[in-house]
Every structure is written in structure tokens, then in C-alpha cells.
């Protein structure tokens, strides 16, 4: 009996222990943080009109580019530092000499109509740039005409270049077109092809319908693509509506027609900043406002003196320029490579505003102010060997260029440099002054889009000084060697080192006066979550993280219960 009693007590004790453990494991009600959920619709205002939804025809229309960014995918896409990474490509093998690029496509990539993506699509798309009727830049057609595109199998394509070219991956980012829907169409056929109004792509959103007011297309409606090879979007429907200007777009936002505005210009910037329901995002554009000096003009030998060029730069209060002309919506440009790029030298020093030092440098070069000449008068002009320090500044006649030129002239005349302004139509600047090198100094803008790869070779290599884009006629053998080497080396780390050398040497030599980077502003409702905007290389890069945006959230409770809500 005693043994039985002990067995009963042990059994009862075990039961109590088990009950205690079970009670200890009972769930406690804990509310997790909100998690993004699928659902919701977003509408954005674009400034302009829809023309053709075709990625190889949209370069002249920002509205088309923005919409195409969501419908189509390229072989590569870019990180926010501008590094190319596979997109429709599963892998890209590059030969050691950067002349052979072998692309293997993803197995899970399909067109919006369900057809698998194949090497035929790659060949069709890029062969269009080789067509004799290609209407785009002649140098791009010439570039592609020398490239051989070979089909290795259903998923593998090889691009064979006539010579080494490390920036080539950037050229593979264009959205692919479906061969099975467009086979046999030439470039001229594509311009008015019905496909442009019924696009089929491989991107995160697929075309649903146009939004029509009477007989006019006023927008487009896209829906999330269920079989997208990447992260499926949380937002279920994405619509764009078009407006003639930013003011109309902002009024549409106030009326509840849209939740975002694709371009915020000066006319509505103050209103947007004061609107608590809008979040403003800003990023520098891939442009550099600059002054080119003609370093090869025999009548202006002083232009070839780097000390003179540095004096001109020191005399410009670039922060004042940014504040006065752009309302603070620009960044001071310090180097020839865009800040935020994988190739940018982040420790490149800033050239200060120092007019006193500028005057000392000019005096050291022998440029003297007439005795007794008062600053701010017509007599306050430096001379050397009885030659007055004066030159012409050519600039476009648009309001921004006029305002920048005003500040430049005032800055230089304050240190004893006389400047004669020549204001011309912007359309004449390239053909009449830059290309024939018929300027003494010219205020212009370097547009570094659409390719994130910096490749400064066209602007600063000595071989480009007569017929290329090295309009200043700058020649430096060290810089040219670094740019040559970087162009043929596919190793990004090595290229970054070479470009770092280039940037520091550029700053020392001052071959051009770099002024500012314009800023792109974008506004979106605070209700839209997970929006981010890093460095961009085109305005449509604002959609780089669009698959992460969400309007609907889900609250997880106790790990297995949830509720869904909109903000």
C-alpha cells in the first residue's frame, strides 16, 4: 500500500507540473507592428501627355518614361549608387577585356500575357537600334551597328563588341519588347504600331486601360502583375493622370483626384511644403551647370592658365547662386562625377568662395588694376602688358541662364574682369558655339542621363577636344590615361580608383567651372508608406522601390491573428 501511495503522489505531482507548463505557455495577446498588406489604389499626377508606351520610343517624353518604368523591365537595373545588377537577366558574364557580354535570362520571367521571356525578345529589342531607319542619336545607332548579337540558346544571348567597353552594361537597361507580338516590325513600323496603345511588358504592373475624357486620353490604369518575377507590388492598382502644368496637378491633389505629383516646380513648391498631407522627396538630377572656357583660343592665352581659371571659380559665391536662382533647390557641384555615384570621390574638398584670394591669384599672374580705379566702376578692369582682362560669355536666353549669367558677370567684374554677355536661343548653343568651338566662355549644362555609369571620357579625354564633347579643348595626359584604362576594365573597384585619381586631378586643373546640380522634387501623400528616394539618374528612378510601397497595413496579433486596415 505504501508503494502504491507513493506512485499516486508522483503521478499527481507530474500532472500538476504539466498543467503548470501548459498554463505558462498560454498565449499572451501582443500586438505586433503594422505590416504591409496587398491592396489599395494609388493615383499620381504627371505633367504632359501620353504619346507612346514603348520603352525604345519614350526618350523624348517624361510621361511615357514614367509609365513605361512600371510596365517594362530591362536586362539590368541599377542600385541607388548607379551599379548595374541583373533584372530580367539571371546572370551576366563579362570577358576580361570587357568586349564580350553573355546574358542568361531568368527562368521565371514571363510577359504579361503569360509567354516566357526568351532570347528572341532580347535580339528583337536591341536589333531595333541597329535599323537604318533608327531616328535617335546617330552616335547611338553607330554604336549598336558595330555590335554582334548572337543567340546561344533559348535563354542565353551574347553581345560581341568591336572593342573593350566597360560601361556597356548601362546600355542593357532599356525595357525589353516582346518578339512574339512584334516580330518582323522595323523601327519605322513601331512608331505608329497599335502595340504602343496596348503595351505588354514584364514589369511589376501590367496595362489595364486608358482613362479617357471624351476623345482625349487623360491617364492610364495599371494593375499589379500577379506573376512578376520580382517582389510582387503591395499596391493593387496604380493610375497616372495627366495635367498641363504643376498648378493644375496640385489642384487635382487638393480635390482628391490624385495622391502624388510627379514634378514639383517653383510654382507650387511653397504650397507643397506647407501641406501637412504631402511628403516632399528631393534628389539631385544627373546634370551639371557649368562654364566652359575655350582653352585653345590663341587670342585668349590666359584661359589656358589653371591659376586664372581657379581665380574665376573662387570669385563665384555658388551658394548664393543656388539660393537666389533656384530657391535653394540645387546642390553645389564640386566634381565632374555625380555625388552618390559608385565612382564619386566622397572626400573631394570644396572650393570656397574667396574673392580676396581670387584677386591675389590674378595679381600674381601680372593682372593689375589701374591705379586709383574704384571698385564697381567701368575703370576697374585688370590689364597685363597693356591687354585688358576681358572675354565674352555666351549663354541661353531662358530665365534660369539669364539669372545665372547675371551673378557670374557681377562676380567677375568685382575682381576686375570685364565680361561681355551674348544671349542666344538655347537651340543654337550646341550647333553654333559648342561644336564649332566658336566661344570664349559659355554657360551650359552637362546632361549625364540616361546612363548611370559616369564614363567621363567623352567630355575630358584629349582625343575628344576637336570633334567630341571636350568643348573646352582640355588636354591632360594623366587624366586621359586614367579615363582610357577605366573604359576597358570591367572591375568596378579598379575603375573607382581610376576615377578617384581623375576627380582630384580635375579639381586641381579646373578645366571648367562647375556650378550646380539641379534638384528634382517629388511629392506623395503621407498615406503612402515605404516611399524612398535615393540618388537618381532619371526622374522615373523614383519608382525604383515601388514594389515596397503600400497603402494597406496588417496588424498581427498573437502571431496567428491579424486585422487589415488602411492608414
Amino acid at each position: 500500500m505504501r508503494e502504491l501511495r507513493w506512485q499516486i503522489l508522483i503521478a499527481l505531482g507530474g500532472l500538476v507540473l504539466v498543467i503548470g507548463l501548459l498554463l505558462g505557455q498560454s498565449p499572451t495577446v501582443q500586438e505586433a507592428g503594422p505590416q504591409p498588406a496587398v491592396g489599395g489604389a494609388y493615383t499620381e499626377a504627371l505633367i504632359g501627355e501620353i504619346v507612346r508606351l514603348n520603352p525604345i520610343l519614350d526618350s523624348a517624353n517624361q510621361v511615357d518614361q514614367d509609365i513605361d518604368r512600371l510596365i517594362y523591365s530591362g536586362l539590368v537595373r541599377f542600385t541607388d549608387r548607379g551599379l548595374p545588377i541583373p533584372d530580367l537577366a539571371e546572370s551576366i558574364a563579362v570577358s576580361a577585356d570587357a568586349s564580350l557580354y553573355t546574358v542568361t535570362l531568368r527562368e521565371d520571367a514571363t510577359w504579361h500575357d503569360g509567354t516566357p521571356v526568351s532570347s528572341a525578345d532580347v535580339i528583337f529589342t536591341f536589333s531595333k537600334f541597329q535599323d537604318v531607319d533608327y531616328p535617335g542619336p546617330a552616335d547611338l545607332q553607330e554604336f549598336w551597328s558595330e555590335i554582334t548579337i548572337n543567340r546561344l540558346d533559348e535563354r542565353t544571348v551574347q553581345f560581341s563588341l568591336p572593342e573593350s567597353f566597360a560601361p556597356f552594361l548601362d546600355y542593357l537597361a532599356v525595357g525589353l519588347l516582346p518578339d512574339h507580338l512584334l516580330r518582323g516590325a522595323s523601327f519605322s513600323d513601331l512608331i505608329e504600331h497599335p502595340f504602343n496603345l496596348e503595351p505588354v511588358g514584364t514589369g511589376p504592373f501590367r496595362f489595364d486601360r486608358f482613362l479617357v475624357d471624351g476623345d482625349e486620353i487623360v491617364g492610364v490604369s495599371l494593375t499589379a502583375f500577379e506573376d512578376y518575377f520580382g517582389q510582387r507590388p503591395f499596391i493593387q492598382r496604380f493610375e497616372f493622370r495627366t495635367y498641363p502644368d504643376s498648378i493644375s496637378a496640385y489642384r487635382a491633389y487638393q480635390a482628391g483626384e490624385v495622391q502624388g505629383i510627379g514634378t514639383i516646380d517653383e510654382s507650387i513648391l511653397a504650397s507643397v511644403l506647407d501641406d501637412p498631407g504631402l511628403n516632399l522627396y528631393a534628389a539631385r538630377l544627373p546634370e551639371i551647370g557649368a562654364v566652359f572656357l575655350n582653352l585653345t583660343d590663341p587670342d585668349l592665352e590666359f584661359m589656358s592658365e589653371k591659376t586664372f581659371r581657379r581665380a574665376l571659380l573662387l570669385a563665384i559665391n555658388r551658394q548664393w547662386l543656388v539660393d537666389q536662382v533656384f530657391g535653394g533647390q540645387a546642390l553645389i557641384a564640386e566634381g565632374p562625377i555625380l555625388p552618390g555615384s559608385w565612382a564619386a570621390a566622397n572626400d573631394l574638398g570644396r572650393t570656397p568662395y574667396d574673392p580676396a584670394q581670387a584677386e591675389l591669384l590674378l595679381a600674381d599672374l601680372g593682372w593689375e588694376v589701374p591705379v586709383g580705379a574704384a571698385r564697381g566702376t567701368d575703370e576697374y578692369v585688370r590689364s597685363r602688358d597693356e591687354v585688358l582682362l576681358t572675354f565674352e560669355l555666351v549663354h541661353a536666353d531662358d530665365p534660369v541662364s539669364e539669372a545665372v549669367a547675371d551673378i557670374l558677370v557681377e562676380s567677375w567684374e568685382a575682381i576686375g574682369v570685364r565680361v561681355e554677355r551674348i544671349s542666344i536661343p538655347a537651340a543654337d548653343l550646341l550647333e553654333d558655339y559648342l561644336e564649332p568651338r566658336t566661344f570664349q566662355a559659355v554657360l551650359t549644362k552637362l546632361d549625364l542621363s540616361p546612363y548611370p555609369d559616369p564614363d567621363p571620357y567623352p567630355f575630358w579625354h584629349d582625343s575628344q577636344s576637336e570633334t567630341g564633347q571636350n568643348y573646352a579643348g582640355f588636354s591632360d595626359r594623366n587624366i586621359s590615361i586614367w579615363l582610357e584604362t577605366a573604359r576597358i576594365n570591367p572591375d568596378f573597384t579598379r575603375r573607382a580608383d581610376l576615377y578617384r585619381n581623375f576627380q582630384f586631378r580635375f579639381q586641381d586643373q579646373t578645366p571648367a567651372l562647375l556650378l550646380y546640380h539641379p534638384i528634382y522634387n517629388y511629392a506623395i501623400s503621407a498615406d503612402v508608406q515605404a516611399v524612398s528616394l535615393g540618388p537618381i539618374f532619371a526622374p522615373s528612378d523614383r519608382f525604383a522601390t515601388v514594389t515596397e510601397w503600400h497603402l494597406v497595413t496588417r496588424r498581427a496579433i498573437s502571431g496567428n491573428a491579424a486585422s487589415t486596415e488602411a492608414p
Side-chain angles (χ1 to χ4, degrees):
M1 291 292 292
R2 182 180 299 173
E3 292 178 357
L4 180 60
R5 196 161 46 243
W6 277 108
Q7 291 173 356
I8 292 173
L9 289 173
I10 291 172
L12 288 173
L15 180 61
V16 171
L17 179 62
V18 170
I19 292 173
L21 289 172
L22 290 175
L23 289 174
Q25 292 180 358
S26 296
T28 58
V29 178
Q30 292 184 343
E31 183 175 312
Q35 301 295 315
V38 173
Y42 169 77
T43 304
E44 182 167 305
L46 300 180
I47 314 304
E49 297 180 349
I50 299 171
V51 180
R52 300 177 183 86
L53 299 183
N54 186 317
I56 67 173
L57 295 171
D58 66 9
S59 61
N61 188 357
Q62 186 59 53
V63 170
D64 292 346
Q65 290 178 40
D66 290 342
I67 300 170
D68 287 347
R69 181 62 178 265
L70 302 186
I71 296 176
Y72 298 96
S73 305
L75 294 175
V76 303
R77 57 187 177 88
F78 302 100
T79 69
D80 60 5
R81 297 183 61 223
L83 285 167
I85 56 176
D87 196 14
L88 279 173
E90 178 181 271
S91 64
I92 302 176
V94 184
S95 63
D97 67 349
S99 68
L100 200 63
Y101 293 77
T102 305
V103 178
T104 301
L105 294 167
R106 301 174 62 111
E107 289 188 89
D108 57 351
T110 64
W111 293 96
H112 293 160
D113 63 4
T115 304
V117 177
S118 72
S119 55
D121 302 315
V122 178
I123 294 171
F124 175 83
T125 301
F126 291 103
S127 68
K128 296 304 101 183
F129 297 109
Q130 299 175 325
D131 283 4
V132 293
D133 58 352
Y134 173 66
D139 56 345
L140 185 61
Q141 195 274 341
E142 181 181 358
F143 171 80
W144 276 103
S145 68
E146 297 178 345
I147 296 174
T148 302
I149 310 173
N150 293 314
R151 178 188 183 277
L152 301 187
D153 58 41
E154 190 67 12
R155 292 177 47 231
T156 311
V157 176
Q158 193 171 75
F159 297 87
S160 179
L161 280 57
E163 58 186 13
S164 303
F165 188 55
F168 178 69
L169 289 176
D170 281 27
Y171 292 76
L172 302 183
V174 63
L176 287 195
L177 292 171
D179 173 72
H180 68 285
L181 297 178
L182 295 169
R183 187 173 301 149
S186 66
F187 204 108
S188 58
D189 295 333
L190 289 179
I191 293 175
E192 300 300 333
H193 202 286
F195 175 86
N196 301 331
L197 298 179
E198 296 178 313
V200 175
T202 59
F205 290 89
R206 61 178 179 81
F207 174 81
D208 180 29
R209 61 190 174 88
F210 283 112
L211 307 178
V212 180
D213 183 4
D215 295 331
E216 183 181 358
I217 294 176
V218 296
V220 64
S221 180
L222 312 176
T223 58
F225 181 37
E226 299 284 346
D227 296 323
Y228 178 55
F229 60 84
Q231 175 183 316
R232 186 187 181 279
F234 291 109
I235 293 177
Q236 189 64 23
R237 181 171 293 276
F238 202 114
E239 293 188 346
F240 292 100
R241 289 186 175 271
T242 58
Y243 298 89
D245 51 54
S246 292
I247 294 176
S248 301
Y250 183 62
R251 288 173 181 163
Y253 165 75
Q254 292 177 306
E257 297 175 11
V258 301
Q259 297 146 286
I261 304 173
T263 301
I264 305 298
D265 61 22
E266 188 177 354
S267 66
I268 62 171
L269 179 60
S271 299
V272 169
L273 288 171
D274 289 339
D275 195 318
L278 278 174
N279 288 334
L280 184 71
Y281 298 87
R284 61 104 189 94
L285 285 169
E287 300 172 1
I288 304 176
V291 174
F292 279 138
L293 306 171
N294 193 332
L295 310 186
T296 61
D297 189 331
D299 296 328
L300 301 173
E301 293 185 0
F302 54 85
M303 292 286 194
S304 64
E305 300 169 348
K306 75 171 185 178
T307 302
F308 171 76
R309 301 193 296 268
R310 181 163 181 82
L312 291 184
L313 186 58
L314 287 168
I316 306 168
N317 189 338
R318 291 179 294 169
Q319 188 59 59
W320 170 260
L321 185 154
V322 164
D323 293 340
Q324 293 300 304
V325 179
F326 299 96
Q329 299 300 300
L331 300 175
I332 294 176
E334 293 298 345
I337 291 180
L338 296 174
S341 166
W342 58 268
N346 297 324
D347 55 346
L348 196 65
R350 170 168 288 193
T351 301
Y353 168 54
D354 193 342
Q357 178 64 21
E359 292 199 84
L360 288 174
L361 292 179
L362 292 178
D364 289 343
L365 291 173
W367 295 102
E368 299 293 342
V369 178
V371 177
R375 193 184 302 272
T377 64
D378 291 341
E379 291 77 26
Y380 196 78
V381 181
R382 294 178 182 272
S383 63
R384 183 175 68 181
D385 299 329
E386 299 183 352
V387 176
L388 290 177
L389 182 50
T390 180
F391 60 84
E392 299 171 346
L393 175 66
V394 178
H395 62 85
D397 59 5
D398 62 88
V400 169
S401 297
E402 293 277 3
V404 172
D406 284 343
I407 292 175
L408 295 179
V409 170
E410 182 180 350
S411 301
W412 292 334
E413 290 188 343
I415 62 170
V417 181
R418 178 177 291 170
V419 181
E420 180 183 346
R421 294 174 54 171
I422 301 176
S423 181
I424 64 167
D428 298 338
L429 198 60
L430 180 64
E431 186 174 344
D432 292 348
Y433 290 91
L434 287 170
E435 289 184 341
R437 278 70 169 166
T438 56
F439 62 90
Q440 295 181 351
V442 59
L443 172 63
T444 186
K445 181 175 65 178
L446 302 183
D447 186 349
L448 304 181
S449 65
Y451 306 113
D453 193 294
D455 189 25
Y457 184 100
F459 291 108
W460 307 115
H461 192 274
D462 54 19
S463 68
Q464 305 299 300
S465 61
E466 294 185 5
T467 57
Q469 293 175 281
N470 184 352
Y471 302 120
F474 176 63
S475 179
D476 182 274
R477 194 78 286 261
N478 286 330
I479 281 180
S480 293
I481 291 173
W482 292 329
L483 298 186
E484 289 169 14
T485 306
R487 252 199 167 193
I488 64 176
N489 194 321
D491 184 334
F492 281 93
T493 300
R494 176 58 178 150
R495 293 184 70 205
D497 289 339
L498 292 165
Y499 287 146
R500 177 182 173 80
N501 295 341
F502 158 64
Q503 290 165 86
F504 278 92
R505 179 74 172 173
F506 182 100
Q507 190 175 64
D508 173 71
Q509 295 293 306
T510 320
L513 311 181
L514 307 184
L515 302 177
Y516 61 87
H517 302 287
I519 283 180
Y520 167 74
N521 286 312
Y522 172 53
I524 191 167
S525 168
D527 291 339
V528 185
Q529 304 297 304
V531 179
S532 63
L533 186 65
I536 64 172
F537 300 91
S540 56
D541 286 346
R542 67 185 185 275
F543 298 128
T545 61
V546 70
T547 58
E548 299 173 15
W549 297 8
H550 58 275
L551 285 155
V552 178
T553 58
R554 178 181 57 200
R555 288 182 303 172
I557 300 176
S558 302
N560 56 8
S563 64
T564 302
E565 60 182 16

